[in-house]
Amino acid sequence: MLSLALRTSRTALNAYRSRGIHAPASLNAVTETDLAHFASILAPSSVISSLAPVNSPTDELDPFNQDWMGRFKGNANTVLKPKTVQEVSQIVKWCNERRIGIVPQGGNTGLVGGSVPIGNELVLSLANMNKVRSFDPVAGILVADAGCILQALTDYVAPLDHVMPLDLGAKGSCQIGGNVATNAGGLRLLRYGSLHGSVLGLEVVLPDGTILDQLTTLRKDNTGYDLKQLFIGAEGTLGIITAVSILTPPAPQATSNVILALPHFDNVLPLFQTVKRDLSEILSAFEFLDRTAYDLAVKHGQGKALDESEVEGAQCFVLVETSGGRREHDEEKLNDLLEKLLEADEPLINTGVVSQNPSQFESIWGLREGVTEAISKEGKAYKYDISVPVATFKDCVDATRDHLESKGLMRPDAVKYVVGYGHCGDGNLHLNVCAAAYTQEIADALEPFIYELVQKHRGSVSAEHGIGAMKTHALHYSKDAVSIGLMKQIKGIFDPNGIMNPGKVLE
Ligand code: FAD
Ligand code: MLT
Ligand code: ZN
């Protein structure tokens, strides 16, 4: 399970300021008068504040003010943890009237600085809204409070023979509301598609406190504009998601995985074509790690390393997962594929290690899922989550490394590694630059260089993590002026006072 130790860095404090990001002057900080109002509507355990008379120690506020990477740090004096949608509504209504900025916060595992304040906005944590409301075992439709942790929902539906349609390395901490707010992709998107498809309904508290009840459990509903879609991926800028209705697929009867070592990156695309064709309906993940990512995962004890002889000469690795209905059938398909790959005149792979039992299955996934944790143990990560053609994955990593080299920054006290991994099956590369510390010099070398690279490949500056505070200035590399103009109009309609997650997504 993911450990969420918060890391501090002196430079983290400047991540907003260095980019000129600050809370709008039109917004107010929470005062003692506001706190007295919140205390009158919430249980004492739902209020954390450095203001009198609550006077919580600052270390109680710290985990809500600092992001997972230790890169972005806010200055909220108050965190509220309501237990019901009515409480959320009352808080938001008050904040709207008093022009107090609100940051909705789920598990705080976001990787773009969206989940923490940019100034002294109020943090509204959904952690206390964590009940399953209903589950229909025939239709597979789950309705749950937004604060339910993804792993808890996975565990809830498992004995009922269903799986959540999404899975990610942060599952032990991230919340379903946060997943929907970021439109998280993750490791199962290849099989089950995006949350824009699986989410059937939402309950949302709008920025004036109105409760929007779109918590439908219908598969089909063509009654005009599909409003819920606006909140999926809005990163808390249009309202607070308080409950989610989501379609959960039937649990596969058999799953397996294999880690493949490839001699050249050039083999990835032909391998993907072959794997898709030969495994067809049982293929459920096709994930990529370059050699540096693999070595870092092993170095930091993520998953189980392959034997030295198996990884010798491997330039990169691919993890293939199968999920199907009949074990014998699926195993036969996977074994046939491996035989074919290894016996080819010019094999696309050096070797492949297939899981033989659940613990090996987890170990193989650990190598891939553990890369994020491994990089964060190694240093400070500049994380670029881009969509580019798969054929260019290696070029993007190499070009970034060469560029940093040309600036004299590839050295142990500056940039230690440039790493590539990700959801190859979805065309999503995680290009990470692992540095000794966050510095302005490295930031300046990386941007706009990486965004221009993405633009050259007609890609997206955010495949799945979102824009948050980190990429507001880069939105235009992937969205044209007309689109950004419409987004601003939509924001203005929902949130005319700009209280909802200020400084995120839109500048
Ligand atoms: P938070 O981090 O708390 O918030 C994220 C954003 O959503 C913020 O803008 C916040 O304001 C908003 N928000 C949160 N809850 C609500 C709500 N109820 N209503 C409205 N807005 C809300 N992401 C992927 O897409 N794919 C991955 O594979 C993946 N793997 C990860 C692995 C690790 C180890 C880590 C640390 C992160 C990973 N992430 C991944 C990023 C992150 O986990 C996801 O973005 C996740 O969906 C965030 O959920 P959260 O509950 O932690 O939200
Ligand atoms: C992943 O795919 O591992 C996640 O999106 C997290 C990351 O980018 O590090
Ligand atoms: Zn990812």
Side-chain angles (χ1 to χ4, degrees):
M1 173 143 22
L2 166 73
S3 94
L4 277 180
L6 289 169
R7 296 159 199 91
T8 48
S9 144
R10 230 174 293 138
T11 47
L13 307 180
N14 299 323
Y16 295 129
R17 254 172 284 148
S18 64
R19 289 240 338 273
I21 300 175
H22 45 76
S26 56
L27 295 178
N28 299 313
V30 176
T31 62
E32 286 176 10
T33 312
D34 301 314
L35 187 65
H37 174 74
F38 298 138
S40 74
I41 57 174
L42 299 173
S45 61
S46 297
V47 183
I48 306 172
S49 179
S50 57
L51 301 177
V54 175
N55 294 324
S56 311
T58 49
D59 60 0
E60 276 188 41
L61 289 159
D62 287 348
F64 300 91
N65 269 319
Q66 180 144 336
D67 78 324
W68 190 87
M69 297 175 291
R71 185 171 180 193
F72 294 92
K73 188 165 165 55
N75 197 24
N77 61 24
T78 301
V79 175
L80 301 179
K81 299 162 86 177
K83 294 182 176 165
T84 65
V85 62
Q86 287 77 19
E87 288 181 356
V88 176
S89 164
Q90 282 176 278
I91 296 166
V92 173
K93 187 168 184 299
W94 178 271
C95 289
N96 191 42
E97 283 162 9
R98 291 267 306 112
R99 307 287 191 269
I100 297 168
I102 302 176
V103 180
Q105 192 176 90
N108 197 11
T109 66
L111 298 173
V112 289
S115 51
V116 294
I118 56 173
N120 52 16
E121 303 91 282
L122 169 86
V123 172
L124 192 150
S125 163
L126 279 297
N128 280 341
M129 292 187 65
N130 53 11
K131 307 262 182 315
V132 170
R133 297 196 188 178
S134 66
F135 181 68
D136 175 343
V138 178
I141 296 168
L142 174 75
V143 181
D145 285 349
C148 289
I149 291 185
L150 180 58
Q151 181 68 61
L153 294 179
T154 305
D155 294 345
Y156 179 90
V157 296
L160 303 165
D161 271 335
H162 284 77
V163 289
M164 293 301 285
L166 77 162
D167 184 21
L168 43 150
K171 56 182 161 264
S173 305
C174 65
Q175 300 175 2
I176 192 67
N179 299 149
V180 173
T182 53
N183 185 26
L187 308 163
R188 290 189 183 148
L189 190 135
L190 183 72
R191 166 60 69 91
Y192 300 120
S194 101
L195 289 173
H196 281 293
S198 339
V199 171
L200 301 178
L202 293 177
E203 178 187 82
V204 180
V205 173
L206 300 176
D208 67 354
T210 306
I211 300 171
L212 173 70
D213 181 357
Q214 293 231 328
L215 208 53
T216 171
T217 51
L218 304 173
R219 289 294 297 273
K220 297 176 85 174
D221 179 12
N222 265 357
T223 50
Y225 307 141
D226 190 357
L227 296 176
K228 70 169 183 294
Q229 297 296 350
L230 278 175
F231 302 97
I232 303 175
E235 301 179 54
T237 59
L238 298 180
I240 299 178
I241 299 167
T242 48
V244 175
S245 164
I246 189 164
L247 190 62
T248 68
Q253 297 304 301
T255 47
S256 188
N257 63 6
V258 55
I259 182 114
L260 305 170
L262 281 65
H264 305 289
F265 173 81
D266 292 346
N267 295 3
V268 173
L269 262 188
L271 179 69
F272 188 33
Q273 281 174 308
T274 309
V275 168
K276 266 202 291 191
R277 193 184 50 234
D278 288 17
L279 295 180
S280 61
E281 82 290 352
I282 65 165
L283 174 64
S284 52
F286 190 93
E287 295 283 318
F288 167 76
L289 299 92
D290 71 10
R291 182 66 199 234
T292 316
Y294 173 87
D295 287 342
L296 282 173
V298 170
K299 177 176 172 189
H300 292 284
Q302 308 292 324
K304 190 176 172 316
L306 305 182
D307 289 343
E308 278 298 317
S309 60
E310 287 164 337
V311 295
E312 208 186 308
Q315 197 176 67
C316 61
F317 299 81
V318 163
L319 187 161
V320 173
E321 185 195 65
T322 63
S323 309
R326 269 188 46 211
R327 181 162 301 282
E328 308 74 44
H329 165 267
D330 299 354
E331 277 176 5
E332 195 181 326
K333 267 188 145 175
L334 187 57
N335 290 335
D336 286 353
L337 168 71
L338 293 176
E339 229 167 79
K340 176 171 150 182
L341 288 171
L342 288 166
E343 286 171 8
D345 291 341
E346 287 180 40
L348 293 173
I349 60 169
N350 284 350
T351 185
V353 176
V354 189
S355 59
Q356 303 293 335
N357 55 48
S359 129
Q360 286 175 6
F361 178 83
E362 292 305 328
S363 291
I364 288 181
W365 264 119
L367 287 166
R368 165 63 188 87
E369 279 187 287
V371 175
T372 314
E373 186 80 2
I375 293 172
S376 74
K377 284 183 175 156
E378 186 70 35
K380 297 289 170 194
Y382 290 86
K383 299 183 86 69
Y384 295 93
D385 151 49
I386 59 182
S387 273
V388 284
V390 175
T392 69
F393 276 19
K394 183 167 183 299
D395 293 347
C396 289
V397 176
D398 289 348
T400 304
R401 194 183 292 112
D402 291 349
H403 176 70
L404 290 167
E405 188 83 65
S406 74
K407 301 260 175 199
L409 287 168
M410 287 303 301
R411 37 171 231 265
D413 63 331
V415 174
K416 298 162 107 179
Y417 301 101
V418 180
V419 189
Y421 58 101
H423 317 286
C424 195
D426 315 327
N428 178 184
L429 172 67
H430 292 310
L431 170 56
N432 280 217
V433 172
C434 179
Y438 290 124
T439 70
Q440 198 55 49
E441 194 186 13
I442 298 173
D444 290 345
L446 291 173
E447 296 181 21
F449 177 81
I450 290 180
Y451 295 132
E452 286 171 358
L453 197 62
V454 172
Q455 195 177 39
K456 192 179 97 187
H457 293 302
R458 299 182 63 81
S460 170
V461 296
S462 173
E464 61 173 9
H465 294 164
I467 297 297
M470 180 184 158
K471 301 176 211 160
T472 50
H473 65 301
L475 193 57
H476 68 94
Y477 287 99
S478 298
K479 283 254 186 310
D480 68 0
V482 177
S483 308
I484 294 176
L486 279 169
M487 284 169 68
K488 286 185 174 162
Q489 283 184 42
I490 291 169
K491 169 78 175 169
I493 292 169
F494 279 87
D495 185 17
N497 297 323
I499 63 158
M500 206 52 80
N501 217 358
K504 314 293 168 56
V505 182
L506 291 164
E507 280 184 316

